[in-house]
Amino acid sequence: MKKKTLFNLTKDNNLNGRKKAAKKTKSFEQTLWESADKLRGTVASSEYKHIVLSLIFLKFVSDKFEARKQELIDEGQGDFVEMVEFYTMKNVFFLSEESRWSTIIREAKQEDIALRIDTALHTIEKTNKSLRGALPDNYFSRQGLEPRNLASLIDTINNIDTTADREEDVVGRVYEYFLGNFAASEGQRGGEFYTPKCVVNLIAEMIEPYRGKIYDPCCGSGGMFVQSIKFIESHEGNKKDISIYGQEQTSTTYKLAKMNLAIRGIAANFGDVPADTFFKDQHPDLKADFIMANPPFNLKGWRGADELVDDPRWGGYDVPPTGNANYAWILHMVSKLSENGIAGFVLANGSMSTNTKGEGEIRKKLIENDLVDCMIALPGQLFYTTQIPVCLWFITKNKKAQQFDDERKAFRDRSGETLFIDARNMGTLIDRTHKELTSDDLAEITRTYHAWRGEPKDGTYEDQAGFCKSASLDEIKANDYVLTPGRYVGAAELEDDGVPFEEKMAELTQTLYQQMAESEKLDIMIKENLEGLGYEK
C-alpha cells in the first residue's frame, strides 16, 4: 500500500476538517428544509407548508415561553410562572400545559398526535388575543396524516433551538426561506403569495418607510411588511413608528401572514376577516403613507360587467375593465394614498403600454395628473411564479419640494417629471432558470432614484443612456403615454474596442462563411440519415 505523505495527511485532515466545518455550518433553514422530505408523497404540496410552518411556530413560541419561565425562576419569581401577565409584559405568548412543545414531544408517538397539535394551537390562540384568527383551525386532523410521518417531522423540528442565537428574527428567517423554497418547488401555486426578496428589498429601499402607515392591499404572507421592518431596523429607526395595514383574500394565507408577523412581535391590522379587496375593503377610511404591493398579474374576471361600476375608487377615471384588474389595483392604491404618500408596486410589463378597453385612457389620466414618479423595468426570471416580464411603478400625489420629520432627506420639486430606469440587464442567475438582483444592483437603482429626487447624500443625478432618463410630461405625451423605460433611456453607448471597422467586418464575414459551410455539411448529413431511414424526398 502506498504510504501517505505528510502533504496527503495534512490534506486529508484539512478535508476532514472542512467536512466537519461544513456539517457544523449547515444552516438552521437547511436542516428544516430536509425535514420536508418526511411528508412528501403523503400530503399535497400546497398543504404541506402550513403543516411545517405551524409546527415551527409552535416550537418557537414554546422555546420563548420556556426561556421566560426560566428567567422568572432565576429572578426568584417562581410563584408567577403560571401567570399570563408575566409573559405578555415581555411580548411572550403564555402557553398552557397542553400547548407546550414538551407536551407535544412527549405525545408525538400517539396515534392522535394530529388532534393534540390542533388542540395546542387552538388553546394558544384562545389564550392570546393578538393571535385571534391567526392559527390553523383543526388543520392537522383534517389532513389525515400518517402519525409515524408526523412524529418524524416533530423529531426533526425538536432538534432546533429556535432561541439559541438570541436573534429575534431567527424564525422569521426560516419563514422567509421556506416560503421562497415552497414557491420554487410549487411553481404557480406556491408563488402566489411570494414576492422575491430582492424585489421587496428594492421597493422598501426606494420608498423608505421610516414612519407612518404602511398598507398592502393584497398582502399574501406579509413579506412586504417584514421587509419594511427590516428596513427600519437596518437604518436604526424604531419599528414602533409605523402602523401596518393589510388585506388578504385567501384564508390560509391570511393566517400565514398573521403568524408571520406574530412571531416577529409585529402588531398588524389585517382586517376582521380574509376578504376580496375590491368587494370587501377592510380599511375603507385608510390613507396610507406608504403602499407596497405585488398584486396578482393580469387578473381576469375580478368583477362582473355590472359590478363596481360606480365605485368611488375610480373617481375621475374610466372604470377598469373586467378582463384585467391591473388598473383596478392601481386606482385602488391611488385612492388609499395620503396627500404626501408614495406607493411602490409590481405589475406585468403590459401595464406600461396597454390600450385595451380603456386602460390606455386611465394611464393617460394618471400621467396628466402627474402621479407617476418613477418606472423601473426589471430583468426577467426574477419570479418563481411566472416568466412574464415585470416592472415597478412608483406613484405619489405630491412631487413638490418636501421636508420630512423622519430620517428621509428633503426632496426637490419634481413636478412634471418622471424618472425611467431600465434595469433589464441587471441581475445574476442563481440557478438555471432564476435570477436575483444583487445588493450592488439594488444600491445602484436606489441611489439613482434618490439622487433624482434631489437627496444630496446620493450625489448629482444625470441621465445615463441605456439606464436612466428623467422625462417631462411632454416627452411622455410624445410617446403616446407609454411608460416603458426602454423608450426613454435609449441604447447604451458601446465602448470602442480599438479595432478598425474594415478589419472587424472582414473577420465577421469570414466567420459567417465558415458557419454557412458548416450548415451545408449538416444539411447533407441530415438528408443522408433520413434517406437511410427510408424517408426520401
Side-chain angles (χ1 to χ4, degrees):
M1 184 183 286
K2 198 174 180 180
K3 287 185 178 178
K4 289 194 173 185
T5 64
L6 179 61
F7 170 78
N8 283 333
L9 287 170
T10 306
K11 187 179 170 188
D12 286 350
N13 286 337
N14 285 343
L15 282 172
N16 288 334
R18 271 184 233 148
K19 283 176 185 171
K20 284 175 185 172
K23 193 172 181 181
K24 276 183 183 175
T25 56
K26 183 189 284 186
S27 74
F28 194 118
E29 298 95 321
Q30 284 173 310
T31 306
L32 273 175
W33 182 252
E34 286 174 7
S35 72
D37 288 333
K38 309 283 184 187
L39 288 181
R40 285 191 196 283
T42 56
V43 178
S45 58
S46 58
E47 301 296 326
Y48 171 68
K49 58 184 168 294
H50 300 294
I51 295 170
V52 175
L53 294 178
S54 296
L55 286 173
I56 294 169
F57 173 83
L58 202 51
K59 177 70 164 63
F60 176 68
V61 295
S62 196
D63 284 348
K64 294 272 281 186
F65 169 82
E66 295 296 346
R68 174 60 182 154
K69 184 178 172 185
Q70 188 58 49
E71 188 179 81
L72 287 170
I73 293 169
D74 293 344
E75 291 171 354
Q77 301 187 75
D79 291 343
F80 307 122
V81 294
E82 295 299 322
M83 294 182 70
V84 178
E85 296 78 9
F86 282 80
Y87 294 86
T88 52
M89 66 191 290
K90 293 281 186 176
N91 282 328
V92 174
F93 297 120
F94 176 79
L95 306 183
S96 55
E97 187 66 37
E98 69 266 37
S99 301
R100 296 172 193 171
W101 187 258
S102 53
T103 305
I104 298 295
I105 276 292
R106 193 170 58 246
E107 297 172 348
K109 304 293 189 293
Q110 302 295 319
E111 284 295 309
D112 63 348
I113 182 60
L115 177 62
R116 291 172 193 247
I117 293 170
D118 280 334
T119 303
L121 290 168
H122 174 72
T123 309
I124 294 174
E125 183 174 315
K126 193 176 168 186
T127 316
N128 298 278
K129 287 181 181 175
S130 65
L131 286 172
R132 190 167 295 164
L135 304 183
D137 185 17
N138 287 326
Y139 191 79
F140 285 75
S141 302
R142 284 186 278 121
Q143 298 306 312
L145 297 166
E146 184 67 42
R148 177 172 46 85
N149 291 339
L150 187 52
S152 178
L153 178 61
I154 291 169
D155 278 346
T156 304
I157 291 174
N158 188 50
N159 292 326
I160 298 161
D161 183 353
T162 62
T163 56
D165 67 0
R166 299 274 177 190
E167 187 183 335
E168 190 68 30
D169 194 34
V170 72
V171 172
R173 257 180 30 224
V174 175
Y175 260 68
E176 199 169 80
Y177 182 89
F178 262 56
L179 292 173
N181 275 279
F182 278 126
S185 63
E186 290 183 24
Q188 182 66 34
R189 284 179 305 171
E192 278 175 359
F193 53 83
Y194 185 75
T195 310
K197 186 180 166 188
C198 63
V199 175
V200 187
N201 277 350
L202 177 57
I203 296 175
E205 291 289 340
M206 291 280 284
I207 68 174
E208 300 181 299
Y210 281 110
R211 185 176 299 171
K213 296 175 182 174
I214 303 178
Y215 173 56
D216 183 345
C218 42
C219 68
S221 56
M224 295 285 184
F225 302 131
V226 171
Q227 208 53 47
S228 300
I229 298 296
K230 285 184 180 177
F231 170 85
I232 292 165
E233 290 173 343
S234 67
H235 291 78
E236 298 177 357
N238 188 343
K239 64 183 182 183
K240 291 180 180 174
D241 288 339
I242 61 164
S243 308
I244 288 174
Y245 298 83
Q247 181 156 353
E248 171 56 38
Q249 181 176 4
T250 308
S251 176
T252 49
T253 311
Y254 171 85
K255 290 175 184 289
L256 207 57
K258 284 195 144 193
M259 265 200 290
N260 198 3
L261 296 200
I263 59 172
R264 299 161 198 267
I266 303 171
N269 182 344
F270 289 111
D272 294 333
V273 290
D276 185 306
T277 303
F278 296 124
F279 285 91
K280 196 170 183 179
D281 185 0
Q282 294 292 291
H283 310 288
D285 301 320
L286 176 67
K287 293 294 179 187
D289 302 295
F290 303 95
I291 298 179
M292 304 169 73
N294 174 23
F297 296 150
N298 304 323
L299 186 65
K300 296 176 182 172
W302 60 279
R303 69 174 178 90
D306 58 348
E307 292 177 307
L308 300 177
V309 289
D310 296 320
D311 195 288
R313 288 172 289 187
W314 330 136
Y317 296 88
D318 288 358
V319 179
T322 57
N324 193 317
N326 286 348
Y327 277 85
W329 287 114
I330 294 176
L331 293 183
H332 173 82
M333 287 187 268
V334 168
S335 76
K336 294 291 182 188
L337 264 184
S338 68
E339 284 311 304
N340 295 317
I342 180 168
F345 50 88
V346 188
L347 280 181
N349 272 4
S351 62
M352 298 189 288
S353 58
T354 176
N355 285 316
T356 306
K357 296 185 176 178
E359 289 178 316
E361 282 301 310
I362 299 175
R363 186 175 62 253
K364 177 182 173 184
K365 195 79 175 177
L366 289 167
I367 294 166
E368 289 178 342
N369 288 343
D370 204 14
L371 298 180
V372 184
D373 203 33
C374 177
M375 297 294 302
I376 301 176
L378 292 175
Q381 299 175 270
L382 289 177
F383 281 72
Y384 293 110
T385 51
T386 177
Q387 294 299 315
I388 296 175
V390 300
C391 59
L392 295 182
W393 290 62
F394 293 89
I395 277 181
T396 180
K397 289 181 176 175
N398 185 4
K399 292 187 183 176
K400 301 285 186 191
Q402 288 182 77
Q403 302 276 348
F404 300 95
D405 58 1
D406 56 29
E407 287 77 353
R408 283 178 293 173
K409 305 301 177 189
F411 295 173
R412 70 179 180 89
D413 187 346
R414 313 174 310 280
S415 301
E417 298 175 33
T418 297
L419 177 65
F420 292 90
I421 296 177
D422 189 346
R424 287 177 298 170
N425 293 324
M426 289 183 158
T428 303
L429 276 172
I430 52 171
D431 59 38
R432 194 170 53 82
T433 53
H434 297 112
K435 269 186 180 179
E436 73 179 13
L437 292 166
T438 64
S439 54
D440 286 344
D441 294 333
L442 300 185
E444 177 64 14
I445 296 170
T446 305
R447 190 204 64 75
T448 301
Y449 177 54
H450 291 173
W452 176 78
R453 284 198 307 201
E455 298 174 52
K457 67 180 173 52
D458 293 292
T460 304
Y461 171 81
E462 287 184 4
D463 289 344
Q464 185 181 332
F467 179 61
C468 61
K469 163 77 177 172
S470 180
S472 67
L473 290 182
D474 285 342
E475 287 175 282
I476 298 173
K477 184 179 178 183
N479 279 280
D480 297 326
Y481 297 96
V482 167
L483 292 175
T484 308
R487 284 215 180 190
Y488 300 90
V489 304
E493 291 180 10
L494 294 176
E495 287 184 19
D496 186 356
D497 56 10
V499 181
F501 173 77
E502 290 75 13
E503 190 179 320
K504 196 180 289 182
M505 192 63 195
E507 188 182 321
L508 288 171
T509 304
Q510 287 305 312
T511 303
L512 179 62
Y513 279 128
Q514 285 174 10
Q515 289 174 339
M516 289 166 71
E518 190 67 24
S519 173
E520 285 177 15
K521 285 182 189 173
L522 288 172
D523 285 345
I524 292 170
M525 286 174 62
I526 293 169
K527 188 180 174 187
E528 288 174 352
N529 286 336
L530 285 171
E531 287 174 352
L533 293 169
Y535 295 101
E536 296 184 8
K537 190 175 179 183

